[in-house]
Amino acid sequence: MAFWPNHVFINPKRGPATLISMFSLRWLRAAAMFAAMFTALLNAQFDTATVLVTISDQSGLPIASSKVSLDSVETGVRQNGATDSSGNFQFFNVKAGRYVLKAEAGGFKQGVTQPFSVTVGARQRVDLVLQLGTATETVTVSDAAARLETETSSRGTVIGTQQVVNLPLNGRSYADLALLAPGVRRAGIADSRDASFNVNGMRSSQNNFVIDGVDNNAYGTSNQGFSNQVVQLSPDAVQEFRLETNNFSAEFGRAGGAVINASIRSGTNQLHGAAWEYLRNTSLNATGFFKPVNNQKPTLIQNQFGGALGGALKKDKIFLFGDYEGYRRVSRRVTFSSLPTADQKRGILGIAVRNPITGEVYNGTVPNAAVTRFGREVLDGLPDPNLPGTANNFVDQPRRSDVNDKGDLRYDHYLSSKVNAFFRYSHRLMQNFEPPPFPGPSGGDANGNVRVYNRQWATGWTFTVDPTSLLEFRMGVSVTEGGKTPLYVGEQTIIEKLRIPNGPTDKRFTGGTYRQAVNGYTG
């Protein structure tokens, strides 16, 4: 295998001497230098599989030069080839799906397998035994495809379409199905970060996510996307995915935990579609073990809806698939806070206190003149307690809203039996409002308005040079924009409002009161 920028040249039959004869030494030097500069781009982390075929007669002897063809049940796309002197042939660039293998040779009946499945990144072996007879006769062979994958040493689990679509998923995150594999546990940060799970004891950030053969890892240090993935596929958009947990191929770098290799669905000759709506509502929710505050259940209204559609623009040639999913959630969680009472905000404390600046002692009441402008603004921005006492004396159910829209569009074009290409665009926009525990400009340091915008473009082109050589190109571009804005963004700055020097003046960061703490003072 020789790696070249933006594509991979695979030649399992020819040795180094043949490669050198094909390329001049000058071009080899230039390519080596270029490859060294772009090593990170050269990982052949593709989602396609290889079907390894052996054709033999009833005595076990190989049949050379037998014609073999691999037909896709869903798309009708055919790949042709001929076996070598050992009766072997390999079909490269086989997409996940169901296939039928046919073989014919002079003096033998035509052999046809029953439909068998090829999974993402697999090396699927199919051995076919031909019987003596004429080519006009056909023999259908069952169990020709090996059930156990013995052509690779990697360990992993394949999660198929039916499992992805039909198994219950709270939140509809396909990556949660990785928990079906042995050695996988849910990470402690999974509630706040999508696709977080520990494999073989490694951190969740040590997993490697691949979609359609391109990198899908979220590299932001603050991870404002709240996910380990750039593209978070809807389950109805996933063809299947393979979770490799041990001894995976060297082409998959970056992973100390697992490699999650997923493939987006493609259109087929038949038009297929789906629509869904998943509802959670306060009226349908259970009360819970503990009695709710004020005998009122916390609000939770959630809608997850969308659709997917795929078909052929030109039979056996051009296919299109698209999907969309929307997420709307409104929730109110009970929060308790400890706030000063109305008397305490007026300086009536009931106990003697010392002024930490002047050393003056106030006998239970702090005069207004001793209260700074900043302190007065903070106290005036606090609501009055609504419960008795001085601890946990304020209860509220602030309204949080989560809005998420995402979708994918994939185009596949089979230009000939040797050349095919695809293009995909994926999009996600998340806009959440995360409120503080109590209202007002002194309401704490909540996230406020959170916005995350993810986009990914992926394209690929494959050319089968000859039965033993393949030229493949993949490219992916991912863009993530993530950030937060304060609750009172655009209002008066702390310089204008509180006369605090050296504060920020950029309107994107101003508004409200910053978090303040007094340390090292005991009275």
Side-chain angles (χ1 to χ4, degrees), residues 198-216:
N198 307 119
V199 179
N200 298 330
M202 301 298 292
R203 295 171 63 94
S204 60
S205 60
Q206 297 301 308
N207 299 322
N208 184 15
F209 291 90
V210 180
I211 291 183
D212 290 337
V214 300
D215 187 285
N216 190 43

Side-chain angles (χ1 to χ4, degrees), residues 150-383:
T150 59
E151 301 298 326
T152 177
S153 60
S154 66
R155 292 183 180 180
T157 302
V158 175
I159 309 297
T161 303
Q162 295 303 315
Q163 292 170 287
V164 173
V165 173
N166 294 328
L167 287 178
L169 284 170
N170 185 10
R172 289 179 54 80
S173 173
Y174 85 93
D176 287 347
L177 293 176
L179 298 174
L180 296 174
V184 183
R185 66 177 291 274
R186 195 167 185 266
I189 61 173
D191 287 335
S192 60
R193 186 174 298 177
D194 170 69
S196 294
F197 44 85
N198 307 119
V199 179
N200 298 330
M202 301 298 292
R203 295 171 63 94
S204 60
S205 60
Q206 297 301 308
N207 299 322
N208 184 15
F209 291 90
V210 180
I211 291 183
D212 290 337
V214 300
D215 187 285
N216 190 43
N217 297 287
Y219 292 102
T221 53
S222 61
N223 206 331
Q224 293 299 313
F226 302 105
S227 175
N228 287 310
Q229 306 177 89
V230 176
V231 175
Q232 296 140 44
L233 297 177
S234 167
D236 290 81
V238 178
Q239 174 72 21
E240 63 183 29
F241 71 95
R242 175 184 290 264
L243 179 80
E244 297 192 53
T245 57
N246 197 358
N247 208 26
F248 36 78
S249 174
E251 69 191 44
F252 295 103
R254 189 195 176 277
V259 175
I260 300 88
N261 194 354
S263 177
I264 290 184
R265 285 187 177 185
S266 172
T268 62
N269 281 328
Q270 292 184 335
L271 187 66
H272 290 283
W276 58 88
E277 157 72 17
Y278 295 90
L279 169 69
R280 296 178 66 184
N281 193 282
T282 308
S283 302
L284 305 176
N285 297 337
T287 301
F289 182 80
F290 296 102
K291 181 180 179 180
V293 178
N294 298 328
N295 294 321
Q296 181 181 0
K297 287 190 294 184
T299 300
L300 176 58
I301 302 173
Q302 178 177 304
N303 296 84
Q304 215 161 351
F305 54 90
L309 185 65
L313 299 181
K314 184 178 181 180
K315 187 177 180 181
D316 297 345
K317 291 291 184 180
I318 303 175
F319 304 94
L320 191 67
F321 174 83
D323 70 280
Y324 162 79
E325 181 168 288
Y327 177 82
R328 306 291 185 270
R329 178 184 175 114
V330 175
S331 59
R332 292 181 180 271
R333 184 173 61 89
V334 177
T335 61
F336 289 90
S337 305
S338 298
L339 300 179
T341 64
D343 285 343
Q344 289 173 337
K345 287 194 289 186
R346 293 197 301 267
I348 305 173
L349 305 180
I351 59 173
V353 295
R354 183 187 301 275
N355 188 320
I357 299 175
T358 64
E360 183 179 357
V361 176
Y362 306 121
N363 189 18
T365 301
V366 178
N368 288 332
V371 180
T372 65
R373 178 189 177 94
F374 173 76
R376 177 53 56 199
E377 290 285 349
V378 171
L379 292 174
D380 290 344
L382 295 173

Side-chain angles (χ1 to χ4, degrees), residues 443-460:
D445 53 347
N447 282 334
N449 301 290
V450 182
R451 182 181 184 272
V452 179
Y453 188 25
N454 295 331
R455 287 160 290 171
Q456 187 178 86
W457 295 265
T459 187

Side-chain angles (χ1 to χ4, degrees), residues 1-2 4 8-13 44 46 92 465-466 468-472:
M1 180 181 293
W4 300 89
V8 180
F9 186 86
I10 304 175
N11 196 325
K13 293 292 184 182
F46 296 160
F92 301 112
V465 181
D466 56 47
T468 60
S469 302
L470 183 73
L471 190 66
E472 186 150 18

